[in-house]
């Protein structure tokens, strides 16, 4: 709900579990409050952001902006903290002074060419600086079923000359006090999204990506939590970007005793020029809040994503259980090699076979073929049809891998259009995985990709697509960029990418699309708007997956994580883990298999059916349940996820003892989130306990004699 108190000039936005309040003072739109719900009627104008005892008192006409919390802090009028917006006029002027003009309430708010949260109520507040010739419309979308606020900004050149945008972050938020910790997710290929916690101090700490991708290196997310906050207690504020290209998030402990959290499109090597009358939309930044620690913050993000970001046609529907041939065959396959995998899937509960990289062009290894989206006839002389028919005869659907943004120099596409690959004049373009990136900022390149991919989809019965992207962009430049767009290639790439998704992913509503990027290197809310799930990591080892899925869950719901059971010894790290553990860990997301089913020992092959039935029985928990991280594998020897149904009638607890210990203590992981007054029957042990006992005493788990990477799964039913 959005209300405006005219007398005190206070906007109050009330969503489930949050209030966000702003006031207009001396024409400046100032932040007042973001946090747990408070009464809308109280006079928040008393809670100004001025530092007590400051010699820079708030006197109109003096340098005072460093003491206040502007909703859209810009540079030049005395706020020396990190600004959200930086502009430059034609003569090099950088001074900007944005003043309140008015507001409107918007229904079905949508940003031009960008993924946008839906299903909320949007307040649009206009600020303007007639001297600089710029207006900024700030959007705030609140939701009645998720403790989150989605923010973005629309910048308009209202002057007579050109206006350069040097920084256009999506939002800034000032929090009271300095006593916070910052939590971010760093990583690399095969170890994405590792949590990192550090005290917020005076000065600026930032995380970013300059890779024209959200990246595995840092995820476009930051949590600022009270220093004493834990997994289950303490105030926690989070920011996640609905964006998939280069980005930056900063946190600044400021001199006036507040903490500023802000971010959006990376301003590194970025500028965007607006001609008079032109506008520019920033992507959304989603702020979430919880009084219940990091776990509560994650649940806030999960609820937001499932209700207001992810495609409603798929988000809560049972997911395909796939078998993917990548780790089974890599590039080395033909019909005879693939049929046994398809045949072995029959009757196991696996319902989709996905043919990965290598089916097209002259693709026999990673050196050729990308860009040529026609079947590799030397491997598959009769095309895809025999495989599709084989799948259908075995009761399976058929899925196919694409990497639409890329091209190998050894490809017909490159030979015909060498200029379509991104390169910078004078430099030989660098290869990565022996491929180049197509310049999808160019409409003709996008038209080619759309027609090539859509042709394969329309000519074949394809139910599932895995959209991969295996390298980052270097030599950022587009020879075709309009003059005003020459310095914002990374953002133009994002707009091109989202255009491709609109015209391929959304244009094929009957096809299920999975996102992927050399594992989980593009796992962000921008992607989740289009792809109901994303391949979480190329690391398929269950032990590493405990860590990766733990970190990923800080922001992204279990159903967003594609998780496969793979063969042992694991192809990435050589580790051998029990089959049951691999299934238990893969069941914590959208499950599937990534191995040669026909070569599995009988015992494991027979177990697949039972495992898939177990998964399906409680899949609703993965699709819509509340996740409680009950044991942290980064700080102890145990991993634990408890997923509780929204009505608290059932839950599944998955524990993985990481390394065997001798003479170790008996463990009692505590289980929050259940109905304290209700009794729960635990299927595996036959015991019944009340929710409060399980929350306070914990569930007895005798793991003293368990070997390395042993999992236990407990199903709890309310009785
Ligand atoms: C990277 C992906 O993450 C893998 O699953 C696989 O699809 C390969 N690319 C294929 O090249």
């Amino acid at each position: 709900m959005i209300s405006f108190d005219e007398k005190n000039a206070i906007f109050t936005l009330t969503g489930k579990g949050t209030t966000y309040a702003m006031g207009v003072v001396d024409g400046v739109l100032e932040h007042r409050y973001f946090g747990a719900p408070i009464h809308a009627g109280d006079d928040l104008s008393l809670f100004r952001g001025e530092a007590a005892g400051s010699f820079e008192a708030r006197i109109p006409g003096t340098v005072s902006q460093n003491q206040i919390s502007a909703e859209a802090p810009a540079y030049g009028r005395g706020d020396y903290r990190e600004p959200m917006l930086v502009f430059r006029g034609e003569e090099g002027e950088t001074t900007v002074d944005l003043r309140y003009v008015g507001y409107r309430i918007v229904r079905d708010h949508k940003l031009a060419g960008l993924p946008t949260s839906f299903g909320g109520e949007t307040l649009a507040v206009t600020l303007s600086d007639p001297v600089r010739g710029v207006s900024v419309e700030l959007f705030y979308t609140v939701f009645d079923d998720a403790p989150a606020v989605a923010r973005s900004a629309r910048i308009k050149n209202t002057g007579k000359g050109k206006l350069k945008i040097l920084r256009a972050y999506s939002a800034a938020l000032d929090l009271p006090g300095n006593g916070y910790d910052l939590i971010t997710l760093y990583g690399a290929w095969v170890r994405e999204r590792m949590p990192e916690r550090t005290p917020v101090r005076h000065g600026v700490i930032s995380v970013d990506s300059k890779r024209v991708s959200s990246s595995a290196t840092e995820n476009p997310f930051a949590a600022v939590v009270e220093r004493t906050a834990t997994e289950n207690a303490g105030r926690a504020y989070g920011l996640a970007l609905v964006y998939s290209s280069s980005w930056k998030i900063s946190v600044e402990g400021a001199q006036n005793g507040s903490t500023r959290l802000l971010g959006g499109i990376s301003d590194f090597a970025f500028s965007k020029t607006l001609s008079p009358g032109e506008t520019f939309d920033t992507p959304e930044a989603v702020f979430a809040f919880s009084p219940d620690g990091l776990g509560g913050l994650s649940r806030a993000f999960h609820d937001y994503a499932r209700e207001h970001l992810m495609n409603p046609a798929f988000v809560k529907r049972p997911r395909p259980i796939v078998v993917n041939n990548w780790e089974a065959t890599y590039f080395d396959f033909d019909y005879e090699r693939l049929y046994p995998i398809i045949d072995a899937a029959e009757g196991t509960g696996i319902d989709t076979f996905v043919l990965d990289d290598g089916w097209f062009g002259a693709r026999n290894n990673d050196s050729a073929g990308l860009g040529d989206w026609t079947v590799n006839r030397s491997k598959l002389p009769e095309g895809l049809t025999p495989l599709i028919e084989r799948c259908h005869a075995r009761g399976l659907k058929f899925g196919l891998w694409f990497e639409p943004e890329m091209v190998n120099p050894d490809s017909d596409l490159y030979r015909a259009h060498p200029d379509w690959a991104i390169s910078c004049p004078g430099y030989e373009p660098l290869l990565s995985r022996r491929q180049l990136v197509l310049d999808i900022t160019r409409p003709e390149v996008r038209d080619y990709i759309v027609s090539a991919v859509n042709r394969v989809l329309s000519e074949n019965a394809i139910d599932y697509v895995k959209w991969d992207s295996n390298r980052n962009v270097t030599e950022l430049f587009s020879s075709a960029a309009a003059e005003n767009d020459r310095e914002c290639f990374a953002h133009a790439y994002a707009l091109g990418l989202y255009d491709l998704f609109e015209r391929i992913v959304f244009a094929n509503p009957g096809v299920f699309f999975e996102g992927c990027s050399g594992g989980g290197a593009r796992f962000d809310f921008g992607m989740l708007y289009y792809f109901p799930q994303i391949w979480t990591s190329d690391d398929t080892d269950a032990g590493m997956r405990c860590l990766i899925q733990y970190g990923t869950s800080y922001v992204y719901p279990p159903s967003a994580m594609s998780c496969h059971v793979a063969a042992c010894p694991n192809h990435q790290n050589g580790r051998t883990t029990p089959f049951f553990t691999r299934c238990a860990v893969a069941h914590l997301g959208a499950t599937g298999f990534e191995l040669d089913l026909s070569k599995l020992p009988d015992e494991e092959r027979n177990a697949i059916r039972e495992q898939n039935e177990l998964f399906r029985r409680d899949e609703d928990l993965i699709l819509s349940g509340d996740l409680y991280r009950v044991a942290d594998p980064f700080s102890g020897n145990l991993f634990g996820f408890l997923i509780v149904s929204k009505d608290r009638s059932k839950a599944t607890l998955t524990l993985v003892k990481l390394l065997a210990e001798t003479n170790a203590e008996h463990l009692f992981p505590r289980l929050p989130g259940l109905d304290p007054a209700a009794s729960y029957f635990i299927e595996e042990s036959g015991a019944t306990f009340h929710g409060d006992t399980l929350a306070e005493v914990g569930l007895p788990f005798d793991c003293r004699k368990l070997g390395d990477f042993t999992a236990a799964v407990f199903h709890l039913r309310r009785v």
Side-chain angles (χ1 to χ4, degrees):
M1 205 187 67
I2 296 169
S3 67
F4 183 52
D5 168 359
E6 303 257 354
K7 186 167 144 269
N8 295 309
I10 298 282
F11 290 100
T12 307
L13 290 72
T14 312
K16 182 193 168 193
T18 56
T19 295
Y20 192 109
M22 308 173 267
V24 182
V25 184
D26 303 335
V28 177
L29 183 68
E30 289 186 16
H31 185 68
R32 285 284 169 265
Y33 175 76
F34 177 51
I38 56 172
H39 287 92
D42 287 347
D43 180 8
L44 292 180
S45 64
L46 296 173
F47 298 90
R48 291 183 172 185
E50 292 145 9
S54 166
F55 63 88
E56 288 182 319
R58 185 190 187 110
I59 303 164
T62 64
V63 174
S64 59
Q65 292 203 5
N66 213 41
Q67 306 304 322
I68 63 171
S69 294
E71 279 288 316
Y75 182 71
R77 295 285 270 177
D79 183 346
Y80 298 106
R81 291 161 291 180
E82 281 293 312
M84 169 183 154
L85 302 165
V86 183
F87 302 120
R88 183 183 292 156
E90 282 184 319
E91 307 296 324
E93 320 92 307
T94 51
T95 304
V96 182
D97 198 339
L98 292 163
R99 299 284 158 158
Y100 175 79
V101 175
Y103 75 95
R104 62 193 175 109
I105 309 271
V106 188
R107 295 255 153 228
D108 299 327
H109 167 61
K110 175 78 179 86
L111 295 168
L114 289 163
T116 312
S117 314
F118 51 79
E121 192 181 8
T122 304
L123 170 71
V125 184
T126 302
L127 312 176
S128 169
D129 178 351
V131 179
R132 181 62 37 249
V134 64
S135 75
V136 178
E137 194 166 27
L138 300 174
F139 298 107
Y140 301 81
T141 304
V142 275
F143 311 99
D144 56 17
D145 51 4
V149 178
R151 285 191 54 185
S152 61
R154 178 167 293 159
I155 298 160
K156 183 173 186 183
N157 180 350
T158 56
K160 293 195 171 59
K162 288 205 172 189
L163 178 77
K164 216 172 219 201
I165 305 171
L166 297 179
R167 175 185 286 181
Y169 283 167
S170 304
L173 175 71
D174 283 2
L175 297 167
N178 279 153
Y180 298 101
D181 279 354
L182 169 68
I183 298 169
T184 53
L185 297 167
Y186 78 98
W189 178 64
V190 297
R191 52 182 169 84
E192 295 88 344
R193 289 169 295 284
M194 302 283 113
E196 197 161 31
R197 182 166 178 160
T198 183
V200 173
R201 52 174 171 70
H202 291 94
V204 182
I205 309 175
S206 55
V207 283
D208 76 341
S209 161
K210 303 179 186 73
R211 293 170 180 263
V212 194
S213 163
S214 49
S215 95
T217 321
E218 292 283 350
N219 194 262
F221 151 81
V224 173
V225 303
E226 287 179 323
R227 196 149 289 159
T228 52
T230 62
E231 180 64 25
N232 296 310
R235 291 187 182 85
Y237 308 83
L239 177 145
L241 300 174
V242 186
Y243 196 53
S244 314
S245 189
S246 302
W247 59 272
K248 187 169 179 181
I249 294 175
S250 299
V251 178
E252 179 170 7
Q255 87 192 69
N256 71 348
S258 66
T259 296
R260 177 168 289 179
L261 172 63
L262 73 175
I265 296 171
S266 170
D267 60 350
F268 177 81
F270 166 90
S271 81
K272 161 75 186 163
T273 304
L274 296 181
S275 295
E278 275 189 341
T279 60
F280 179 83
D281 282 355
T282 74
E284 283 188 326
V286 178
F287 290 102
F289 169 77
S290 175
D292 300 322
L294 194 55
L297 185 70
S298 300
R299 290 186 290 280
F301 275 124
H302 298 176
D303 283 344
Y304 153 77
R306 291 185 296 218
E307 302 301 331
H308 301 289
L309 182 81
M310 295 163 75
N311 186 344
F314 292 113
V315 64
K316 291 194 186 149
R317 288 245 197 97
R319 300 298 171 81
I321 300 183
V322 309
V323 57
N324 177 302
N325 75 306
W326 179 242
E327 288 198 11
T329 67
Y330 295 101
F331 294 104
D332 184 17
F333 59 80
D334 55 17
Y335 297 122
E336 299 318 313
R337 187 81 179 72
L338 297 174
Y339 286 158
I341 301 176
I342 296 169
D343 294 350
E346 185 176 15
T348 60
I350 293 171
D351 52 37
T352 306
F353 168 74
V354 178
L355 180 59
D356 211 281
D357 195 353
W359 61 268
F360 52 88
R363 187 88 166 158
N364 298 314
N365 51 50
D366 63 15
S367 70
L370 283 174
D372 299 339
W373 300 110
T374 51
V375 175
N376 180 335
R377 296 276 164 179
S378 68
K379 277 184 187 174
L380 304 172
E382 312 296 322
L384 298 173
T385 307
L387 288 172
I388 294 173
E389 286 176 350
R390 189 82 169 205
C391 285
H392 291 174
R394 301 282 177 264
L396 305 182
K397 292 180 172 176
F398 181 77
L400 198 59
W401 180 97
F402 288 89
E403 195 177 3
E405 299 152 69
M406 303 291 163
V407 65
N408 283 118
D410 184 1
S411 67
D412 292 343
L413 181 68
Y414 188 80
R415 281 182 281 276
H417 299 284
D419 62 308
W420 282 10
I422 295 168
S423 69
C424 182
Y427 295 89
E428 195 58 35
L430 289 175
L431 290 169
S432 174
R433 209 194 187 207
R434 301 202 262 184
Q435 65 197 54
L436 300 171
V437 188
L438 289 168
D439 182 359
I440 61 168
T441 69
R442 292 169 65 169
E444 67 275 27
V445 177
R446 295 202 299 277
D447 289 348
Y448 165 77
I449 293 171
V450 169
S451 74
V453 175
N454 280 346
R455 190 176 55 243
V456 180
L457 299 186
S458 65
E459 288 175 357
N460 300 279
I462 292 167
D463 296 294
Y464 183 109
V465 166
K466 177 178 173 187
W467 182 308
D468 203 348
S469 165
N470 281 296
R471 66 158 288 180
N472 294 137
V473 179
T474 49
E475 301 96 23
L476 276 61
F477 180 76
S478 176
S479 53
E483 198 189 326
N484 284 358
D485 294 332
R486 292 234 169 100
E487 292 162 18
C488 58
F489 181 88
H491 182 61
Y493 190 94
L495 295 178
L497 188 65
Y498 295 140
D499 180 57
L500 289 178
F501 294 161
E502 292 282 339
R503 295 162 66 194
I504 298 175
V505 179
F506 282 176
N508 289 282
V511 179
F512 186 94
F513 281 81
E514 173 174 286
C516 175
S517 177
R522 202 162 57 184
F523 207 124
D524 58 69
F525 276 159
M527 297 299 289
L528 274 189
Y529 178 79
Y530 297 98
F531 297 83
Q533 65 190 45
I534 298 173
W535 181 229
T536 315
S537 175
D538 275 347
D539 201 325
T540 47
D541 163 53
M544 270 306 289
R545 275 304 189 106
C546 286
L547 305 184
I548 294 166
Q549 292 171 206
Y550 192 94
T552 304
S553 78
Y554 276 25
V555 199
Y556 308 104
S559 64
M561 298 184 220
S562 177
C563 308
H564 290 177
V565 176
C568 281
N570 182 267
H571 291 199
Q572 281 68 45
N573 64 7
R575 183 183 278 152
T576 294
T577 52
F579 184 73
F580 180 78
T581 301
R582 283 177 270 152
C583 291
V585 175
H587 286 186
L588 294 172
T591 198
F593 295 81
E594 182 107 5
L595 40 69
D596 188 342
L597 290 174
S598 68
K599 292 198 176 133
L600 276 184
D602 284 349
E603 190 189 310
E604 291 181 7
R605 199 156 75 225
N606 296 337
I608 289 181
R609 186 191 172 83
E610 189 191 328
Q611 284 298 322
N612 284 338
E613 278 170 3
L614 262 180
F615 175 77
R616 283 288 190 229
R617 196 185 72 171
D618 288 319
E619 190 177 1
D620 55 328
L621 293 175
I622 296 297
L623 296 171
S624 59
D626 285 330
L627 172 68
Y628 293 83
R629 290 178 292 258
V630 299
D632 177 359
F634 290 93
S635 62
N637 198 8
L638 189 69
F639 162 92
F641 270 11
L642 174 76
I643 308 185
V644 183
S645 63
K646 284 278 175 199
D647 66 1
R648 298 194 286 182
S649 65
K650 64 173 185 171
T652 300
L653 171 68
T654 303
L655 301 172
V656 180
K657 171 88 172 175
L658 301 180
L659 296 178
E661 290 170 287
T662 43
N663 198 11
E665 62 174 343
H666 211 106
L667 295 179
F668 298 89
R670 294 194 179 99
L671 309 185
L674 300 166
D675 178 351
S679 294
Y680 289 88
F681 174 68
I682 301 162
E683 280 180 25
E684 285 68 17
S685 66
T688 301
F689 294 103
H690 279 93
D692 52 8
T693 305
L694 290 165
E696 299 306 324
V697 184
L699 178 129
F701 178 45
D702 183 355
C703 60
R704 287 170 297 179
K705 290 194 181 146
L706 301 183
D708 292 350
F709 301 99
T710 304
V713 179
F714 298 92
H715 295 90
L716 285 71
R717 314 270 148 193
R718 191 168 57 200
V719 288

